[in-house]
C-alpha cells in the first residue's frame, strides 16, 4: 500500500525553480552523463555513511542563512550544524555562584568564562531569554557524536537575568576537524579543501515575541577563521579571548529580531 500524499504547492514551486536554475547550471557546467553517474554513486555513499546532514550543514547551510539574513538588523545567525541535540539539561547555580556548563568532574581544557547580553533590536534588554549552548571538548570532539563523554557533556541551557545578561563557566573550545575519512572527506580532497572549522561556541537564543537566534561565537587569532570549511564565520561573531592568568574570558552581545 502506498502512502496517501497530498499535493504540496510549496514543494512544487521550489522544485520548478530548482529545475529552471539547474538547466542553466548544467549548460554552464557542461556536465556529461558519466559525471552524473559518478555524482549519484557518491551521493548514495554519502547517505549510507550517514554523512548527508554533515555535508549539507558544511556546504549548503551557510548559503541558506546568507540568503535569509543578509542586510537584516540584529545579530547574524550562523550554522546550527549537525551536532545539536534536543533535551540538554538546565544548568542552575546557587545564589552568588557561577553557572557551569554541564561537564565532567575534571573536564580537561582551559577554563573559559563566557559572558553576554541579549537585547531586542530596539535596545531593550531581554530578561529570561533561554540560552542553549553546546561546544566541543579539549580533544576536539562533540558529546553524543564523536566523543565518548556523557551524552550532554558541554551542552546545557540557562536563562538571562533581569538585565538580559548571562555568564557561564566552560572550557575553551578547540578548532574542529569534520570527519574526513568518508564520502565527505573524498569530496574535500576533490576540491582541495582542508577539513577544519575554527574553534567556536554554539548558541541558540529563544525569547518571547522574537525570532529564535541560532548562531556561533569565534575567537580572534584563530588560524582557521579565513578558511572555515563550513563558511560559518561572520565578522561580528568574532570576539577576543582574554587571558586572565588562570582562565580565559570572552564576551559578546546578541541582538534578537522581533517576530
Ligand atoms: C561543526 O562543528 C559545525 O558546527 C558545523 C556547522 C559543521 C560541522 C561541524
Ligand atoms: Fe560546531
Amino acid at each position: 500500500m502506498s502512502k496517501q500524499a497530498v499535493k504540496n504547492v510549496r514543494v512544487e514551486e521550489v522544485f520548478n525553480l530548482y529545475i529552471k536554475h539547474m538547466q542553466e547550471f548544467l549548460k554552464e557546467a557542461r556536465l556529461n552523463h558519466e559525471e552524473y553517474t559518478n555524482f549519484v554513486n557518491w551521493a548514495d555513499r554519502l547517505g549510507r555513511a550517514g554523512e548527508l546532514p554533515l555535508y549539507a550543514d558544511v556546504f549548503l547551510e551557510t548559503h541558506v542563512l546568507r540568503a535569509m539574513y543578509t542586510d537584516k538588523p540584529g545579530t547574524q545567525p550562523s550554522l546550527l550544524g549537525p551536532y545539536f541535540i534536543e533535551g540538554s539539561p538546565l544548568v542552575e547555580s546557587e545564589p552568588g555562584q557561577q553557572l557551569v556548563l554541564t561537564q565532567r568532574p575534571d573536564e580537561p581544557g582551559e577554563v573559559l568564562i563566557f559572558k553576554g547580553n541579549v537585547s531586542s533590536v530596539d535596545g531593550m534588554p531581554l530578561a529570561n531569554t533561554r540560552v542553549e549552548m553546546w561546544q566541543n571538548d579539549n580533544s576536539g570532539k562533540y558529546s553524543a557524536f564523536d566523543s565518548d563523554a556523557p551524552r550532554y557533556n558541554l551542552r546545557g541551557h540557562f536563562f538571562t537575568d533581569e538585565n538580559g545578561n548571562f555568564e557561564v563557566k566552560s572550557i575553551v573550545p578547540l578548532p574542529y576537524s569534520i570527519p574526513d575519512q568518508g564520502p565527505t572527506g573524498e569530496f574535500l580532497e576533490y576540491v582541495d579543501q582542508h577539513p577544519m572549522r575554527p574553534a567556536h561556541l554554539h548558541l541558540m537564543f529563544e525569547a518571547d515575541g522574537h525570532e529564535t537566534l541560532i548562531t556561533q561565537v569565534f575567537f580572534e587569532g584563530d588560524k582557521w577563521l579565513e578558511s572555515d570549511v563550513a563558511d560559518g564565520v561572520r565578522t561580528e561573531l568574532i570576539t577576543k579571548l582574554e587571558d586572565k592568568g588562570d582562565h580565559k574570558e570572552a564576551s559578546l552581545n546578541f541582538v534578537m529580531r522581533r517576530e
Side-chain angles (χ1 to χ4, degrees):
M1 254 206 325
S2 66
K3 184 170 154 274
Q4 276 292 260
V6 278
K7 179 179 163 75
N8 184 318
V9 289
R10 178 60 178 158
V11 169
E12 184 181 42
E13 178 189 15
V14 171
F15 180 72
N16 288 337
L17 270 173
Y18 172 72
I19 295 299
K20 173 178 138 187
H21 291 277
M22 191 167 63
Q23 285 169 345
E24 295 299 307
F25 149 71
L26 289 172
K27 251 188 240 164
E28 193 176 335
R30 293 182 289 115
L31 198 87
N32 65 42
H33 194 254
E34 185 186 354
E35 289 169 330
Y36 164 76
T37 304
N38 289 344
F39 165 72
V40 172
N41 289 337
W42 169 82
D44 189 34
R45 289 199 301 284
L46 185 74
R48 289 171 194 267
E51 290 189 358
L52 187 60
L54 171 73
Y55 185 89
D57 293 351
V58 169
F59 294 104
L60 307 177
E61 193 182 3
T62 191
H63 302 291
V64 176
L65 297 180
R66 285 194 202 280
M68 284 180 72
Y69 296 111
T70 301
D71 299 329
K72 284 211 178 175
T75 298
Q76 283 302 302
S78 184
L79 314 167
L80 174 66
Y83 300 136
F84 168 70
I85 55 171
E86 299 277 349
S88 80
L90 171 67
V91 293
E92 289 177 292
S93 65
E94 303 299 318
Q97 296 280 299
Q98 182 88 57
L99 220 63
V100 181
L101 193 65
T102 323
Q103 55 184 259
R104 293 164 286 188
D106 287 302
E107 188 66 36
E110 261 191 291
V111 172
L112 168 68
I113 306 290
F114 182 64
K115 306 177 188 190
N117 175 269
V118 186
S119 63
S120 188
V121 276
D122 59 12
M124 184 181 75
L126 291 173
N128 210 33
T129 298
R130 187 183 187 284
V131 184
E132 172 90 30
M133 182 167 158
W134 69 106
Q135 63 170 95
N136 66 4
D137 65 18
N138 202 51
S139 59
K141 296 180 166 154
Y142 282 91
S143 65
F145 292 90
D146 43 13
S147 127
D148 45 22
R151 180 168 174 82
Y152 289 106
N153 202 52
L154 298 176
R155 300 172 181 276
H157 68 273
F158 44 87
F159 293 86
T160 58
D161 70 13
E162 64 279 14
N163 301 311
N165 294 323
F166 66 88
E167 177 173 334
V168 62
K169 181 181 151 183
S170 185
I171 59 155
V172 178
L174 292 193
Y176 182 78
S177 172
I178 67 165
D180 63 354
Q181 297 304 304
T184 300
E186 193 183 317
F187 177 83
L188 288 171
E189 285 184 18
Y190 295 146
V191 299
D192 198 18
Q193 163 70 49
H194 66 69
M196 300 303 296
R197 297 214 62 216
H200 56 279
L201 301 171
H202 287 271
L203 291 151
M204 172 160 28
F205 300 93
E206 293 176 84
D208 284 345
H210 291 75
E211 250 177 51
T212 295
L213 171 62
I214 298 169
T215 194
Q216 300 187 8
V217 173
F218 304 91
F219 305 102
E220 240 176 73
D222 192 305
K223 81 178 266 204
W224 306 106
L225 286 175
E226 264 89 63
S227 63
D228 179 4
V229 60
D231 188 26
V233 181
R234 309 289 184 259
T235 311
E236 61 177 277
L237 301 178
I238 304 173
T239 187
K240 275 199 172 61
L241 202 52
E242 288 177 70
D243 197 346
K244 298 285 182 184
D246 65 341
H247 71 276
K248 296 281 207 284
E249 220 168 276
S251 66
L252 197 66
N253 295 334
F254 301 88
V255 178
M256 296 180 74
R257 283 186 284 275
R258 288 191 180 281
E259 218 154 41

